[in-house]
Amino acid sequence: MTIAFYPGSFDPMTNGHLDVLIQSLNVASNVIVAIGVHPGKVPMFGFEERADLIRQSLNDVLPDAMDRLRVVSFDNLVVDAARSHGATLLVRGLRDGTDLDYEMQMAGMNRQMAPDIQTVFLPAGTASRPITATLVRQIAAMGGHVEAFVPKAVLEALNTKLKR
């Protein structure tokens, strides 16, 4: 059984995140979505909210895969968190060459620290390449429409949080 570890902030979950999650389920028996929790950062959505949105988003498009998904938090090195959950694959989504440059550096460092964990890069689909959670938060906060960038459950949560 292959366990993939997909780390990120997921604040909020975007269609790009969902695309990479679905691809991860195609290459691994089980996928752990790992939400990074950092005491110095104040996210728009708390851990439980983000975890619920990830589950709802996947359930809306791939309900049969729900038993292969776990959502956890971590506040340590990604490779240590992955190892503690029995993962052997570290999943990273790529939107463009800029992502590749950064992710290659991270993959190299992670391989030095944990040669037993393989990094796998999964390309973003064409429609989700320009999407970032940061831009989604900014656009939504300024009253813009983000329905093309996030799953339905996330759109509803954003509208509720921003009282629209």
Side-chain angles (χ1 to χ4, degrees):
M1 178 169 59
T2 304
I3 299 173
F5 197 78
Y6 179 25
S9 64
F10 305 99
D11 187 35
M13 174 81 156
T14 68
N15 288 338
H17 292 132
L18 184 58
D19 177 37
V20 171
L21 174 55
I22 291 167
Q23 289 183 66
S24 300
L25 288 160
N26 288 329
V27 298
S29 305
N30 292 291
V31 175
I32 299 169
V33 174
I35 299 173
V37 178
H38 303 284
K41 293 186 178 180
V42 179
M44 176 177 265
F45 293 98
F47 167 75
E48 287 300 334
E49 290 173 301
R50 287 181 277 171
D52 287 343
L53 290 172
I54 290 165
R55 289 185 198 101
Q56 288 174 33
S57 298
L58 182 63
N59 191 57
D60 286 348
V61 296
L62 208 58
D64 292 343
M66 292 304 295
D67 62 335
R68 298 173 46 216
L69 171 71
R70 275 195 299 150
V71 181
V72 301
S73 67
F74 75 101
D75 63 359
N76 55 339
L77 290 172
V78 167
V79 291
D80 291 340
R83 190 180 284 128
S84 74
H85 290 283
T88 57
L89 293 179
L90 187 59
V91 172
R92 301 302 296 161
L94 296 177
R95 290 172 299 202
D96 58 24
T98 303
D99 283 353
L100 178 62
D101 289 343
Y102 173 76
E103 293 296 343
M104 285 295 291
Q105 288 179 321
M106 292 299 298
M109 296 295 287
N110 287 337
R111 188 170 183 142
Q112 288 292 318
M113 292 184 289
D116 53 317
I117 298 175
Q118 180 67 50
T119 299
V120 176
F121 298 128
L122 297 173
T126 305
S128 60
R129 283 191 185 135
I131 303 171
T132 71
T134 300
L135 288 175
V136 166
R137 285 192 312 272
Q138 290 172 348
I139 292 167
M142 295 174 78
H145 298 282
V146 295
E147 59 271 0
F149 310 127
V150 296
K152 182 182 175 198
V154 174
L155 179 63
E156 292 170 0
L158 281 167
N159 286 337
T160 298
K161 184 146 310 251
L162 298 171
K163 295 176 178 40
R164 287 193 250 181

